[in-house]
Amino acid sequence: MAVVGLFAGVTAVPASAQSAVDDVSVDGFGGAECAHRVNDTARKLLPCIRTEDLWHHMKVLQAIADAHPGPDGHPSRNSGEPGYKASADYVAKVMRQSGYDVTIQTYHFFYFAFTAVPTLREVSPTPHDFTVATDWNPGQSTGSTTAALQPAGGIVIPPTPTPSSSSGCAATDFTGFVPGRVALIQRGTCNFGVKVQNAQAAGASGVVIFNEGNPGRTGVFGGGGLQDAAGNRVVPNIPVAFVPFATGSDLVTQSSQAVKPVMTIGIKAVVNPNAEDFNVIADSRGGDPNHTVVVDAHLDAIYGAGMLDNASGSVTILDIAQMMRKVKPRNKLRFIWFGGEELGLLGSNFYVDNLSPTELAKIGYDLDADVTATPNYMVGVLDPAGVDLFSRTVSTTFPPQVYEPSKVGRDHGIHYFDSIGLKNELFSPVGTDAFAFNMAGVPASGVLTGQDCCKNEQDVALFGGSLGNFEGNVPSFDGGCVDNPFRWCDNLSNNDPKVLTFMSKGFANMVVKMAFDRTVLGSGHKPPGHKVAAATQVRGQSTS
């Protein structure tokens, strides 16, 4: 494991957050009885998981976000920003005070952040302001321009039933392009970065890429990083906008007229190709190190404070760790708060990839808490054979040596929720840090309560609530707060403390049972871990 070492000290926290951080006192949590006894069974542990303690940590993380605005001026705990560093310092402080051995693992990643709300406008002949995230998405690029629009070659309208456009993929698509204009390009065939590079080589001052128009490729899309032909990340210094097919088709028609449409695009951002990020790792001082249970949550946010996703899961495991501080588990407990999950499981992949085969072989199980306080909730339990949360289809399958032992922790969760009269649904680990462990051959389970949109009829039949958004504006189908940029609404009010409490109790039941498990983490060494052959894209944007 590539562990860099401990932080030299705790990041300075402004007064608005410092009082909450200073309130940390191990003996102040769980009540007097819980604070001093050994909570080594579910019967002892679960009553000690209390709303007031969970909510205290939530308020601290919100205060940290408020005190550390990101480059856009809004509260933030995003990876690569001061609010994330301060969050990691807080968790490390609590865990040290609770008697755990704490280390900080440092890694580096490509950081990009908007410093202002991007703008897209048709100036003439039909003036129109496009609303970001609703009408269009900005690509990860920088720059501004106001210029006439000119379509590139290769545009296919009407679109074919299946993707066929190669617009912008070849330099010849820009034959006759007037330098200084904004290039209008259709999606299809090659990476977006290739299209932009070709446009830039032809002298374009900006690029508008519109969806291709085939089934499933019509609406608002894109907005992520751009890749060249080799899959390398590129950040063009001309602005790039992604628009729906209908918008692009209309602009193509306008461009055929004598008076060409004039577009204004403005994208301001900060870029750091080598930004620091951190995983907080806290080991129990007892337990067999050859039989380790990892208990994890991602600590980073996306698009702001990230209180539901995933301060809630981070607080769940933090409170459980505090309440188990006097436990002498049979198996070593390793609590980890990962960074960079929202950017593609960066922290968990780095952690797993930097384990030697011997170190990996010592990890017998992983438990992941990813979103545990959704207002319009469902009770989700992670199962490698489950459906993906967003697509409700199975995208990845795992071999028996991963799936069969994963059922042990999974069933502890199911049995607890059954015991309190709550139904549950099984979901794949795809999109969570548990996926990194499953891919390395480690069995895993965990919990989630849903985010974004959409809660369906089956979910409502099981858990009540309403169709549409799991969180944010409920009832609504606008997509929620978590994964929608420029809304900044995943704050403390986007969480339900009652849901946080019963989900944390359910997860605590899984943790304490696996801490003493003899079925998965037996007396013999399991063979060195290995990567599982399974292909999927985790929370990624399409690159072409």
Side-chain angles (χ1 to χ4, degrees), residues 186-423:
Q186 189 175 25
R187 179 185 187 179
T189 303
C190 62
N191 286 347
F192 298 134
V194 174
K195 296 174 185 284
V196 175
Q197 287 176 327
N198 287 333
Q200 200 163 10
S205 63
V207 173
V208 175
I209 300 175
F210 68 97
N211 218 341
E212 190 169 1
N214 327 101
R217 293 162 74 97
T218 59
V220 178
F221 74 113
L226 304 175
Q227 296 180 2
D228 63 17
N232 299 313
R233 189 160 187 170
V234 293
V235 180
N237 59 5
I238 60 172
V240 178
F242 293 91
V243 300
F245 173 76
T247 301
S249 180
D250 176 63
L251 290 172
V252 169
T253 299
Q254 290 188 50
S255 298
S256 67
Q257 306 301 313
V259 179
K260 308 299 181 186
V262 175
M263 308 298 293
T264 289
I265 315 173
I267 299 176
K268 296 180 180 180
V270 58
V271 180
N272 182 355
N274 197 39
E276 278 192 331
D277 206 24
F278 312 100
N279 295 327
V280 181
I281 304 169
D283 281 354
S284 62
R285 292 183 178 173
D288 183 352
N290 293 315
H291 299 89
T292 298
V293 177
V294 171
V295 181
D296 73 73
H298 75 87
L299 185 58
D300 64 307
I302 186 168
Y303 307 133
M307 293 307 297
L308 178 62
D309 190 10
N310 185 41
S312 63
S314 294
V315 162
T316 290
I317 73 168
L318 184 61
D319 188 56
I320 292 168
Q322 284 185 284
M323 292 303 101
M324 293 186 70
R325 65 187 177 275
K326 293 182 178 293
V327 172
K328 296 179 179 179
R330 176 182 182 274
N331 307 309
K332 173 74 72 177
L333 290 177
R334 177 168 297 149
F335 293 88
I336 308 180
W337 288 261
F338 288 118
E341 190 267 3
E342 298 289 1
L343 304 175
L345 310 188
L346 299 186
S348 54
N349 280 331
F350 183 86
Y351 173 77
V352 171
D353 289 346
N354 283 274
L355 293 171
S356 69
T358 299
E359 290 170 326
L360 179 59
K362 293 177 181 180
I363 298 176
Y365 207 88
D366 173 68
L367 288 169
D368 177 83
D370 193 350
V371 182
T372 56
T374 306
N376 190 24
Y377 72 92
M378 60 184 176
V379 178
V381 179
L382 296 185
D383 181 331
V387 297
D388 295 359
L389 171 62
F390 296 114
S391 70
R392 302 300 174 100
T393 60
V394 176
S395 68
T396 309
T397 57
F398 296 91
Q401 65 265 32
V402 171
Y403 175 63
E404 289 300 324
S406 292
K407 293 192 293 187
V408 175
R410 177 203 72 180
D411 288 348
H412 289 316
I414 292 172
H415 292 159
Y416 173 76
F417 293 123
D418 285 346
S419 75
I420 62 172
L422 285 175
K423 304 291 186 181

Side-chain angles (χ1 to χ4, degrees), residues 58-272:
M58 291 288 282
K59 289 191 292 185
V60 172
L61 291 178
Q62 178 70 64
I64 286 173
D66 293 341
H68 295 85
D72 58 10
H74 292 271
S76 176
R77 296 189 314 101
N78 296 342
S79 281
E81 297 179 6
Y84 179 77
K85 174 64 160 56
S87 299
D89 287 344
Y90 174 69
V91 168
K93 177 180 180 180
V94 171
M95 293 302 284
R96 289 192 192 105
Q97 288 187 345
S98 298
Y100 290 85
D101 295 324
V102 178
T103 57
I104 305 297
Q105 184 180 46
T106 302
Y107 64 94
H108 295 82
F109 74 105
F110 195 108
Y111 171 84
F112 178 98
F114 297 106
T115 58
V117 178
T119 57
L120 175 65
R121 185 172 195 270
E122 181 176 353
V123 177
S124 63
T126 309
H128 177 71
D129 288 313
F130 295 88
T131 302
V132 69
T134 301
D135 299 329
W136 75 290
N137 280 320
Q140 291 192 358
S141 56
T142 62
S144 61
T145 185
T146 298
L149 191 72
Q150 181 175 344
I155 291 173
V156 179
I157 295 179
T160 53
T162 58
S164 62
S165 174
S166 61
S167 174
C169 292
T172 53
D173 290 331
F174 296 91
T175 301
F177 188 84
V178 178
R181 287 184 173 178
V182 174
L184 178 63
I185 306 172
Q186 189 175 25
R187 179 185 187 179
T189 303
C190 62
N191 286 347
F192 298 134
V194 174
K195 296 174 185 284
V196 175
Q197 287 176 327
N198 287 333
Q200 200 163 10
S205 63
V207 173
V208 175
I209 300 175
F210 68 97
N211 218 341
E212 190 169 1
N214 327 101
R217 293 162 74 97
T218 59
V220 178
F221 74 113
L226 304 175
Q227 296 180 2
D228 63 17
N232 299 313
R233 189 160 187 170
V234 293
V235 180
N237 59 5
I238 60 172
V240 178
F242 293 91
V243 300
F245 173 76
T247 301
S249 180
D250 176 63
L251 290 172
V252 169
T253 299
Q254 290 188 50
S255 298
S256 67
Q257 306 301 313
V259 179
K260 308 299 181 186
V262 175
M263 308 298 293
T264 289
I265 315 173
I267 299 176
K268 296 180 180 180
V270 58
V271 180
N272 182 355

